[in-house]
Amino acid sequence: MQEIRNIAIIAHVDHGKTTLVDQIIKQTKVFRDNQEIQECFMDSNDLERERGITILAKNISVIHKGVKINVLDTPGHSDFGGQVERVLKLADGVLLLVDAAEGPMPQTRFVLDKALKLGLKPIVVINKIDKPDARPKEVHEKVFDLFCELEANDDQLDFPLLYASGRSGWAATTLEAPRTSIEPLMDAIIQYIPAPKVLEGPVQMQVATLDYNDYVGRIGIGRVYRGTLSTKDKLVLIKNNGTVENAELRQVFVYSGIERKEVTEVNCGDLCAVVGMADVGIGDTLCDAEHPEAMPPIVLDEPTLSMMFRVNDSPLFGQDGKYISSRHLRERLMKEVQRDVALRVEDLGDCFKVSGRGVLHISVLIENMRREGYEMTVSQPHVILKRINDVLNEPIEILAVDVPDEYAGKIIEMVGIRRGEMVHMEAHGNRQMLEFEIPTRGLIGFRSKALTASAGEAIVSHRFLKYAPFKGEIPQRTNGVLISMAQGRIAAYAIDGLQQRGIFFVEPNDTSYEGMIVGENSKEGDIMCNMQREKQLTNVRAASSDRALKIYPATILSLEQALEYIADDELVEVTPHHIRLRKWLLKEIDRRHEHTRKTKEKDEAASL
């Protein structure tokens, strides 16, 4: 039986996981010499390449000195923590990457805590050692302190340490050692990461992640924890809810390089993909029919944010998308729940309540759906509150902001307004690392404001910490919006005349409709605008009446910015080619009636 090592690469976002995996692929000759490897090879998804982040965990296998090493690349963003939690179940050890300048960050702490609790053996790699502001000795001390804080056992505290540069493709055991190849890292994996325990007995395999293929349907990916999995054996699938179904495997694949290789049996400890079960789900156990024994379920952290998904009922519906009905929405969301266990979907009849880890988590789903041809409207993100011992509790997150010295005061002031409390402040070079405890509500819309306040220099990251008593109201958007009062093509003359009122999200010749938000008012209160107003043509020719139109470029909001911008009574309309903002109630008279009703209800509640 071939020796195996299962290792997950974990780190904070942008600390170099995917780049390091590229070098492992390149230097272990997974590709033939005449094949070129593209940068960030593991980020195969279009969205991952555009944003430069890993969204889905993926795995490959490489052979080094006769040992098969299954390498699992994980996301670094806290919104995709559900991917990391599942993948860690497949590994026997972790490669913890830490940036040589930034040191341990919030997500480093989150993923390391999960790994240590599972009893995994860590190897610490201080990456990006060739950065001008690298401080490897201080970072080593900080990592050791973090291990102590997370109550690592003696074996985990005695972690091997390597220095590396993923981009340059080298790793070394000391700072003075020759910097030639990634081989010292591969040797350390074989030396320090334990081989999987080989347990004899009836087969047990747990599904940790899912893939989908149009030809064979759903593919369950997991690890064989006991016995040998064979296509000839009689097997059953034990679902998470306890039901037992007969399972007939059509194909079994193991990982060989970047591809899957079909086999008839898989040894204990190896990772594999199984085909043939139509409704296999994450956490399900595939086991021997005569000895059905389920494995402990995969426990995940609960979602902290929710949004309402509705059909697109604007006057422009159906002009862009292929899938526009609530039936299409329901089918697509239920399909996503099967694939992403950190997501929750609740059917409320006229809309769907979608709950996830953060705005980015849900916005990636929306972005994928719009690219597939779906149209929908999405509400403002709402934090999920819990009542614990008759006290209303809300999620609190650890927020880390790395910002130049001159902007630190502005950031501290912004976080203070949003009910945040500073817990740590540290200077390195001419930058400050600020840490706060802040309600999740306060983070909605914070990133874009922090980037504006710091001239694009702030590096913002956060992770869920705990539930704590409700901290009181947080000021929402203070400015009103500019609302179109009719449907039609937007005239340049109309925008020119209204530019003093605020900033616009639309450009001349775009189409607007009644109730659509076309810009932001520079003051409080909403303004109705005639966006179709054309210049009246007359016989008079005078220098005073003929002025040149000067139109400032529109502010184009990304999907995340749009979701964070809207207020309670507004929606984001998402179609394959457009992202529009609109009022929930399109007609002004309906909005006035609703405002009157809410005011009356408040007055009645106050009188009681």
Side-chain angles (χ1 to χ4, degrees):
M1 179 179 154
Q2 186 180 23
E3 269 202 84
I4 296 170
R5 300 288 186 276
N6 297 316
I7 188 157
I9 300 185
I10 57 173
H12 185 80
V13 65
D14 210 27
H15 278 199
K17 297 177 297 301
T18 307
T19 309
L20 189 72
V21 174
D22 283 354
Q23 290 296 336
I24 291 172
I25 293 170
K26 201 181 285 184
Q27 296 191 27
T28 51
K29 300 286 190 292
V30 168
F31 284 96
R32 289 185 293 278
D33 291 338
N34 60 349
Q35 272 185 298
E36 274 294 311
I37 176 175
Q38 55 183 343
E39 200 172 317
C40 291
F41 175 79
M42 296 289 273
D43 287 350
S44 51
N45 186 312
D46 286 346
L47 216 50
E48 291 178 317
R49 290 197 163 276
E50 285 168 26
R51 294 172 182 241
I53 58 172
T54 303
I55 295 170
L56 302 167
K58 300 172 201 72
N59 46 304
I60 56 154
S61 78
V62 296
I63 306 290
H64 181 69
K65 295 183 177 174
V67 178
K68 180 181 180 182
I69 301 171
N70 288 312
V71 182
L72 301 131
D73 184 20
T74 63
H77 202 288
S78 57
D79 280 22
F80 309 112
Q83 295 274 339
V84 181
E85 291 165 29
R86 299 203 308 262
V87 163
L88 290 179
K89 291 273 286 184
L90 301 174
D92 296 299
V94 291
L95 217 57
L96 177 70
L97 253 68
V98 185
D99 188 295
E102 292 180 0
M105 296 283 277
Q107 185 69 1
T108 316
R109 185 190 187 98
F110 168 78
V111 288
L112 181 62
D113 187 30
K114 300 277 179 196
L116 294 177
K117 280 178 179 163
L118 287 168
L120 303 180
K121 174 71 179 175
I123 293 176
V124 175
V125 180
I126 297 180
N127 195 26
K128 304 190 182 182
I129 208 79
D130 46 5
K131 279 173 93 169
D133 55 347
R135 45 190 191 124
K137 287 190 171 66
E138 293 96 314
V139 169
H140 181 195
E141 287 170 16
K142 285 184 169 298
V143 171
F144 187 81
D145 293 344
L146 179 60
F147 270 77
C148 295
E149 268 181 60
L150 297 175
E151 298 175 0
N153 61 37
D154 292 347
D155 183 46
Q156 290 169 333
L157 275 173
D158 187 23
F159 55 81
L161 177 72
L162 287 99
Y163 303 96
S165 169
R167 190 166 290 282
S168 305
W170 60 264
T173 49
T174 65
L175 287 168
E176 296 77 32
R179 302 176 173 185
T180 51
S181 73
I182 211 88
E183 195 163 315
L185 175 62
M186 307 307 289
D187 292 340
I189 290 171
I190 294 172
Q191 183 182 347
Y192 295 109
I193 301 299
K197 288 177 184 169
V198 178
L199 299 174
E200 296 297 332
V203 67
Q204 258 191 334
M205 177 239 176
Q206 188 169 35
V207 176
T209 185
L210 295 174
D211 198 357
Y212 187 81
N213 184 300
D214 288 336
Y215 299 103
V216 298
R218 201 176 289 177
I219 302 167
I221 300 166
R223 173 174 163 176
V224 180
Y225 288 93
R226 188 175 71 192
T228 303
L229 182 69
S230 170
T231 49
K232 296 169 188 170
D233 294 342
K234 197 175 178 187
L235 303 166
V236 290
L237 183 71
I238 304 177
K239 304 285 291 172
N240 275 330
N241 57 12
T243 57
V244 180
E245 299 174 2
N246 286 327
E248 190 178 326
L249 298 187
R250 291 204 205 107
Q251 291 171 296
V252 176
F253 298 90
V254 292
Y255 289 87
S256 176
I258 56 163
E259 294 168 349
R260 293 176 186 160
K261 183 174 77 178
E262 190 172 350
V263 293
T264 53
E265 59 178 41
V266 184
N267 293 319
C268 182
D270 205 353
L271 308 185
C272 64
V274 293
V275 174
M277 294 166 291
D279 60 344
V280 64
I282 287 164
D284 294 355
T285 307
L286 191 64
C287 52
D288 189 73
E290 292 176 13
H291 303 88
E293 188 183 340
M295 292 195 66
I298 296 172
V299 180
L300 298 172
D301 288 347
E302 290 295 307
T304 55
L305 274 180
S306 68
M307 296 181 201
M308 295 298 178
F309 282 47
R310 300 166 69 247
V311 290
N312 182 14
D313 57 358
S314 82
L316 302 179
F317 84 96
Q319 293 186 12
D320 262 6
K322 232 183 344 179
Y323 309 110
I324 56 174
S325 70
S326 60
R327 178 176 60 83
H328 288 130
L329 270 184
R330 181 184 293 105
E331 284 172 5
R332 180 62 181 83
L333 291 172
M334 294 309 169
K335 185 177 161 188
E336 189 66 27
V337 170
Q338 295 291 340
R339 195 179 298 163
D340 185 353
V341 286
L343 201 74
R344 305 272 187 280
V345 175
E346 200 179 327
D347 190 344
L348 302 177
D350 59 336
C351 62
F352 302 91
K353 184 180 179 182
V354 179
S355 306
R357 291 285 181 87
V359 174
L360 183 63
H361 183 199
I362 302 178
S363 73
V364 163
L365 165 63
I366 298 169
E367 184 64 44
N368 281 326
M369 287 174 71
R370 72 184 281 238
R371 289 180 184 207
E372 291 163 21
Y374 286 84
E375 281 193 20
M376 72 206 94
T377 49
V378 189
S379 76
Q380 182 191 38
H382 285 281
V383 167
I384 298 169
L385 304 175
K386 282 185 180 177
R387 195 164 282 281
I388 304 169
N389 299 330
D390 281 344
V391 177
L392 192 62
N393 281 249
E394 66 174 335
I396 305 291
E397 307 214 10
I398 282 274
L399 167 70
V401 186
D402 186 348
V403 70
D405 290 339
E406 62 266 32
Y407 302 117
K410 283 184 186 174
I411 299 293
I412 293 166
E413 184 186 343
M414 281 170 59
V415 176
I417 292 168
R418 291 160 178 259
R419 306 275 178 179
E421 297 170 11
M422 187 187 286
V423 291
H424 185 66
M425 183 177 186
E426 181 190 330
H428 52 88
N430 59 351
R431 294 179 75 90
Q432 297 279 353
M433 170 59 75
L434 311 172
E435 272 197 18
F436 307 89
E437 287 186 10
I438 183 172
T440 303
R441 288 178 299 138
L443 287 172
I444 297 172
F446 174 78
R447 187 185 299 269
S448 53
K449 283 192 166 54
L451 287 171
T452 307
S454 63
E457 291 272 350
I459 300 167
V460 181
S461 55
H462 55 89
R463 69 172 179 87
F464 174 73
L465 178 66
K466 61 183 178 184
Y467 269 87
F470 191 75
K471 289 185 177 279
E473 289 302 316
I474 291 174
Q476 294 292 313
R477 188 185 75 208
T478 50
N479 293 31
V481 289
L482 307 177
I483 306 167
S484 173
M485 61 166 64
Q487 183 169 342
R489 187 181 62 81
I490 294 171
Y493 183 74
I495 292 181
D496 180 60
L498 289 162
Q499 281 183 133
Q500 300 299 319
R501 295 286 193 175
I503 57 169
F504 279 90
F505 303 145
V506 291
E507 293 180 327
N509 295 324
D510 286 352
T511 305
S512 73
Y513 53 82
E514 185 182 0
M516 177 174 153
I517 296 167
V518 291
E520 180 182 280
N521 188 4
S522 53
K523 299 176 182 176
E524 285 185 32
D526 298 344
I527 301 178
M528 297 295 291
C529 304
N530 182 0
M531 301 306 297
Q532 286 71 38
R533 182 176 169 231
E534 296 275 8
K535 185 182 178 187
Q536 296 300 312
L537 300 177
T538 65
N539 280 344
V540 178
R541 294 288 175 270
S544 58
S545 64
D546 280 347
R547 59 190 178 84
L549 301 181
K550 289 183 181 176
I551 295 173
Y552 298 110
T555 301
I556 306 298
L557 298 179
S558 70
L559 179 58
E560 278 93 41
Q561 287 170 331
L563 291 169
E564 292 179 340
Y565 179 81
I566 56 173
D568 247 354
D569 62 337
E570 295 163 4
L571 296 169
V572 178
E573 179 189 343
V574 182
T575 74
H577 300 110
H578 298 283
I579 293 171
R580 303 185 184 99
L581 308 185
R582 52 163 280 192
K583 286 290 182 181
W584 197 301
L585 300 171
L586 295 176
K587 293 192 177 296
E588 187 182 12
I589 190 75
D590 293 340
R591 294 197 294 275
R592 286 186 177 179
H593 285 160
E594 182 66 14
H595 179 69
T596 307
R597 187 185 65 78
K598 283 187 175 175
T599 309
K600 199 173 175 183
E601 280 181 4
K602 274 185 186 174
D603 292 344
E604 285 173 1
S607 63
L608 289 171

